[in-house]
Amino acid sequence: MQFIDRKGIFSVSKPENYSYLYFPIAGEKGLKSVVTPNLGGDSKLNQNAFLLEPVSVENLHNNRSGRNFWCQVRGVGNWSAVGQSAETEAERFTSSQEESEVTAGFMWHLLTRKSHKYGLASKTVSFVPVEGNVEVLHVEITNIGDQAREIAAVAAVPIYGRSADNIRDHRHVTSLLHRIRTTEYGVYVRPTLSFDERGHQKNKLTYYVCGVGGMGEKPESFYPVAENFIGEGGTYTHPRKLLENGKGVPAGVQFEGKEALGGIRFPEVTLHPGQSISYTVLIGATEKEDEILEIIRLFDSSDKVESQRKMVEDYWQKQVNVEFYTRNRAFDNFMYWVSFQPFLRRIYGCSFLPYHDYGKGGRGWRDLWQDCLALLMMNPDGVRQMIIENYGGVRVDGTNATIIGERQGEFIADRNNITRVWMDHGVWPFLTTKLYMDQTGDVDILNQQVTYFKDKQVERGTSSDDAWDEEYGNLQKTVRGETYRGTILEHLLLQHLCAFYEVGEHNHIRLRGADWNDAIDMAEQRGESVAFTCAYAGNLMQLAHYVRLLMKRYGQQRVELMEEMSILLGNNVYDDIGKKVSILRLYEKQCRHEISGAKVQMKVEVLAQILEKMAQWMMQHIRKTEWVTDGEGNGWFNSYYDNSGNQVEGAFEKGVRMMLTGQVFALMSKTADPEQMKAIIRSADKYLYEKEVGGYRINTNFHEEKYDMGRMFGFAYGEKENGAVFSHMTVMYANALYQNNFVEAGYKALQTLADTAINFETSRMYPGIPEYFNNEGRGMYSYLTGAASWYMLTMITEVFGVKGELGNLLFSPKLMLQQFDENKTAGITLTFAGKRFEVAYINSNGKAYGDYDVAKATVDGRNILIENSRAILRQEEIVNLDDHVHKIVVVLE
């Protein structure tokens, strides 16, 4: 793999020789497609509307039913212009293998192939228009031989046209619902009914495959029925209809109850040497069939197609408005893709790509908040309202809705009797809100009034409110039947205070259903998460700081809180586990169905002191009880207690057990003291680091199937949550190291991930950061991972040191010497407070980090403030800047 520009465009030669490769193409209107090097993959609007047959990762090499485009060459044979034929597969890895290459950028994919046997070359461009629900396949065929060729082009795209559930649930029966007809441009399929979890419903969607020549020519005939096209004993890669030169049917023909095929035959043409001809295939679904002809007219010439493709390229490049400039050009391009990945997760959710063959496309609670991190860096418009509306998913018991609707701020009731609770969910909203306040200076957002979510789940998911029903609705009410609203600060307090009191037998916050590590899910009764107890403690300490800022910035002396909360704040019960649990239970009973609606006033300083005291107690308790060693002078923090009530980490008979998660949050929260931080780094390097597979594993090999901890220990070691290099936690480890000025260690963590991803012969993946690297260093679960937002955040705010501080913009880099280019310069371009900045760090003396300080800084040639080796562009200065790109030059000496 190689990058061919500075904007992330890359190419891979003979990509079909690598397994499990796939590439996302999607727009903003709902269509989500994925293509492989020979145009396998699928396309869908949602779980219940797949245009092409749903694929999991193993289907990528098993399936033959991909998008295909054939050239019937008179006197020679049938050539697949996309490499999807039995003949081309048989020639793979031999001297007869065709030349092929994939070139791709954001949301567009180009496949080129050459066949010397057939004397033809093809260029196939795939993309989805930004504002359209249609996948575009543009094929250009060129005669590269020395003789004229007579060819008839045939598109063959199987139309699945139903729910993903129907793969194993009435696959044949649902084909009987198909009503298929041919039109002047293609094949339409409109099933009579939809069979899925919603029951039997009248179908409104028409699925279609249409084709048009490069000069607007109509097809000649059609192959609308799959079994007629492949023939008895044939396959999609060896279809008898083409082998026997069988004719298609004309427009205006109808079929019922068959598996459908978007088979389109174009008139035979003569191609002279060097001559080209093009065709466009459109794959889509709509409730308004009249729109299809309008769509065809948008793409009925090669020039129109290229114009639309360029619009796609420009649109997505504009969305990714962060650029990095370092000595390593491949790394800079890699960062383009990392910065693009949060957009992919917004579109695809946590589903709908081949490795992500679970769920139904929605995002989870964590995703809502972590994806906001990226938006705050790149596209902050509207983020304030997004944050406010997201808080509407919090319940008054500090838990949150787990079913997220498609619309912003939409949360759906969980109708299960007892729902699963992830104990870490209260951590993430504050981290995002903190970044927002730092970027904007808008601490007053803490006073914004927001509703609470209400469904039948009460008492932190341990009980069911039988008095609740659909008529009550999903907004928490008071005893007077009024919708209750509390401040964002109140929401944050409930998330943290309720967690503080929900402790296990070692006085750490209970694990419940799981924490961030979803696979630690078998310790519901006695499990405790020391790792996220650290995280909550760190948040409480930080929250105290921002509460005081309400007083310092706005003169606010008091805050207004729900009356029932008084019991959570008006005591000093920290050590007594039984009393803590009783306090929580009493609060939960008071809020089980409705709340009083009464509020109490609390002094800002008093509240801040309470939060600090809680945080300090939690940290000190962890320092006293959870530091473990290996007997050789190495130490770190225990991360968990299992369902048997035992510490999970330390020196055991089967070897040393260490997990990265606990170290990350001990560092990030500063629960670890400076000497403990150094010890953690040494231990992580000794027990978790393996450069060849991407860096820091998430845990050592426990050599045990721990049924009292979680399903992760049933996975093979080195895969997924059991010992893989899990990108998200590694990036957060790096972030924590940078925050504490362990820059060399942080660089090592980030760069090893990047180097492994960029090394295609190891990672076997297109650019970007995967969910994890397996035991061979292969990148797994590409594109959809929260690691991308955290990687970008860490690069911007820590490595390049460009960060907000209550609306001011700071420049305090932590760049390693090897990150400066041959001109001893490193740079970043980004948007802050609606203004565009090009930032250049000049290290003329070639000093290493720790030896240089910020000596001088200018904006458009004017000096800006230097304070404590930081350059500061004040908020009032930023507001007065115009809308041009502004150049920041920071001199390091």
Side-chain angles (χ1 to χ4, degrees), residues 710-722:
R711 71 177 187 269
M712 62 174 277
F713 293 103
F715 299 152
Y717 183 71
E719 297 288 343
K720 227 162 182 337
E721 289 92 344
N722 187 17

Side-chain angles (χ1 to χ4, degrees), residues 7 76 182 198 236 299 305 319 400 415 519 536 596 633 661 700 749 810 820 837 839 842 847 868:
K7 298 287 188 180
V76 183
T182 58
R198 302 168 301 176
Y236 280 122
F299 298 96
V305 172
Q319 300 305 304
N400 55 268
R415 293 171 181 81
Y536 278 103
S596 69
T661 311
T700 56
L810 309 186
F820 292 93
F837 296 100
V839 183
I842 311 298
K847 290 185 176 181
N868 298 324

Side-chain angles (χ1 to χ4, degrees), residues 610-623:
I610 291 172
L611 300 181
E612 283 180 338
K613 188 175 179 181
M614 286 179 163
Q616 289 165 354
W617 182 88
M618 295 166 84
M619 292 179 182
Q620 188 58 35
H621 179 62
I622 291 169
R623 292 184 193 119

Side-chain angles (χ1 to χ4, degrees), residues 9 24 56 79 146 191 197 212 225 327 335 408 428-429 454 479 526 613 619 631 637 640 702 710 760 771 789 868:
I9 296 175
S56 184
W79 180 58
D146 54 8
E197 63 177 11
V212 61
V225 177
R327 181 193 296 268
M335 283 306 303
Q408 182 172 300
W428 308 105
K454 173 65 180 173
V479 291
R526 300 179 68 186
K613 188 175 179 181
M619 292 179 182
F637 282 103
Y640 296 99
F702 280 32
F760 184 74
E771 181 183 277
S789 292
N868 298 324

